Amino acid sequence: MTTRVPDFLQGGGEMGALMRAHDWSRSSLGAPADWPQSLRTVVRLMLNTGHPMYIWWGPELACLYNDAYRESIGPERHPESLGRPAREVWAEIWPIIGPQIEHVMSGRGATWHVDQLVPITRHGRLDDVYWTYSYSPIDDDASPGGIGGVLVVCTETTKQVQVAQQLTLERDRLAQLITERTHAFDAMRASEARFRAALKAGRLGYWETDLVARTRTWSDEAMALFGLSRPDRKGKVGGPDDEFVAAIHPDDRHLVAHYLELAQQLDTFAADYRVVRSDGTTLWLSGRGAVTARGAEGEPLRLISVMADVSEQRQAEQLLAVERERLRLALSAGHMGAYELDIASDTLWWSPETYALFGVTPATFKPTRESVIGLLDPEDRPGFAKRRRLAINEHQPFFDEFRLRRPDGSRVWIGYRGQAEYDPQGRPVRTFGVVMDITERKKAEQVLRDAGREKDDFIATLSHELRNPLAPIRNAVNVLQHLPPDDARVAWCRDVIGRQTAQMARLLDDLLDVSRLTRGKVTLRVQRLDAATMIARAIEIAQPVIDGAGHELLVDLPEQSVQVQGDLTRLAQVFSNVLINSAKYTPPGGTIAVRAFARDAALVVKVRDTGIGIAEEHIDRIFDMFGQVESASSHAQGGQGIGLSLARRLVELHGGTIEARSEGVGKGSEFEIRLPLARSGGDDAPTAQPAVVGQEREA
Ligand code: ADP
């Protein structure tokens, strides 16, 4: 059977072709030639538009659609659904569209749906498909109610809806992001506030230096440190306007170039310098510089500097250094050293002075308990170790003295004061203390001991000396009592008494002089004296002793008068003392030579004898008080060791010197006395001119 294709089915692409080829006889629509006019019109419209259109027609609502609709219904319905009843084709979504179709078919008018979700299965999966569509009635007089079908003009808006949804999502996310950002910003502001507070608390400041633009950007805190106020926070790098360099203390300015050099090589480096602020105060700053950008050659382009005010620490350090220096000076002035011994590790620390005390250096000597003990005099080692151990055990401070044998052979006395520290169980943890050189004290103690002994010897000798003249005196007095006054023996008694009392008087005078000299209470009756007169007076005093020993006396005086300023009696006492000594310490029949001359504004008097001489080691001692030489004092003529001591003090009171020389025991002695010459042209009068020298003058 050939059917003529009606005009309204012409065109229409694939769907047109399908509709033309379709066997309509088996559908509820029947042959297209019999389709009512209104349906034909709408079908023609549908097939000839690019817009997706769909038609449900007749009581079964047979499905018709165009090419534009194919994609939307998927292979599940295309092309099989053509002409088939809507209820079967769209069973899946009938609950949604069924009522809407019913609404139109029952004459209640068209419907309009925007972005309606109508999920359908296509391409094998259930898609959330969105549509914007209208269901419009298609009139047909022959149909009940005058409505033959429904025209669906429809656009799938899944993409737009999805985009819109995406957009909403994005917007929500954006909103979320903004909220988060705001929170982050708030947090950052809070953190920045904390950062600023921290900078302030730490008296820290930072700035950035742009070495290319030659500018500097200051933080408020850094400006406060440098005493700068710049509203724009900008500064200049280099040149006369460089506010940074200008603020640096002149003595530290050279460091600026140094830091720039460091920045060439290091990414971060330490910096320390002083700044002088506009108010005149000086701050010590300490911190770091960090290179934040480098050029192609590695040259620094930008740096960040962070500096803190460390003035207080520096002052404390300086104070500490001064204290340390003081302690060091005190230790070295007191010839003292400090030590500390950690008992657990058995490590010994010594202050630098301690090395010097022990005569070693840190380079050549490592102080340990053993090495230090090794320097002690072997005799002192056991006692020291024992006493130290005992003191530590008894929790007592420890004082001791020992002798050292230094590596260079010298010997010193060391005083040692130590103490231990204990743990809660009472075990010693460390000991510490000071050591000091007490050699001088030890020497002084020895001198004192010697002096004490000498004094004892002296008193013993003196008692003898004072007793000796007493016996002949008493004897003479006894004799006198039994003699008539005109007896010739009376003269002998007078002689004995006279001689012996004179000796006692001399002895006592010497003793009194010594005590006066010691107390600085000697008065000189100073006058211009002729050397010859003075020496003659001394010889006169010494002559009996010289003659008594049968010595020859040679005297060589200057031809012209040589004059000195002095006390005649005292100076005659000095010279007679020396002459009597020569007589005493020269075996009988010796020679004593006195020679006087002027030289270098001084009167020089030399007294030389051929006597027993003085051993070299005794030369210095003979001028000391009671400074007798043992072998000499045992000599019959020995005295009390007062004469030379007295002589030296008297000569020194006159501004002169006295020295002894001897080539040794048995080789004679020579005493040389020098006195300043009286100034010429002054008072020539030889008359006595009393003057007072010594402490009495001030009194
Ligand atoms: P002394 O009363 O013992 O003589 P001095 O002070 O005068 O006291 O002398 C001190 C010591 O010096 C003497 O004990 C003696 O040992 C020694 N001395 C002094 N003069 C001479 C001398 N010319 N020759 C040798 N020894 C001397």
Side-chain angles (χ1 to χ4, degrees), residues 577 581-582 584-585 609 612-614 622 627-629 632-633 638-645 669 671:
N577 235 315
N581 273 349
S582 284
K584 279 195 317 191
Y585 300 110
D609 62 48
I612 60 169
I614 305 162
I622 60 173
Q628 290 166 305
V629 177
S633 63
Q640 297 71 48
I642 302 174
L644 284 182
S645 162
S669 313
F671 285 77

Side-chain angles (χ1 to χ4, degrees), residues 291-364:
V291 178
T292 52
R294 286 193 189 276
E297 310 283 292
E299 75 279 14
L301 304 179
R302 271 200 301 280
L303 13 131
I304 285 258
S305 308
V306 185
M307 298 297 283
D309 174 9
V310 293
S311 309
E312 277 173 22
Q313 290 98 302
R314 277 298 141 84
Q315 272 157 12
E317 277 166 21
Q318 274 173 352
L319 259 176
L320 202 71
V322 170
E323 292 289 311
R324 250 194 233 124
E325 180 59 13
R326 270 196 204 127
L327 184 68
R328 201 189 63 71
L329 283 177
L331 284 175
S332 77
H335 295 283
M336 288 171 113
Y339 73 90
E340 186 179 320
L341 173 72
D342 185 275
I343 291 177
S345 62
D346 202 22
T347 42
L348 181 61
W349 170 85
W350 268 11
S351 73
E353 300 79 16
T354 317
Y355 287 93
L357 273 183
F358 280 67
V360 291
T361 65
T364 55

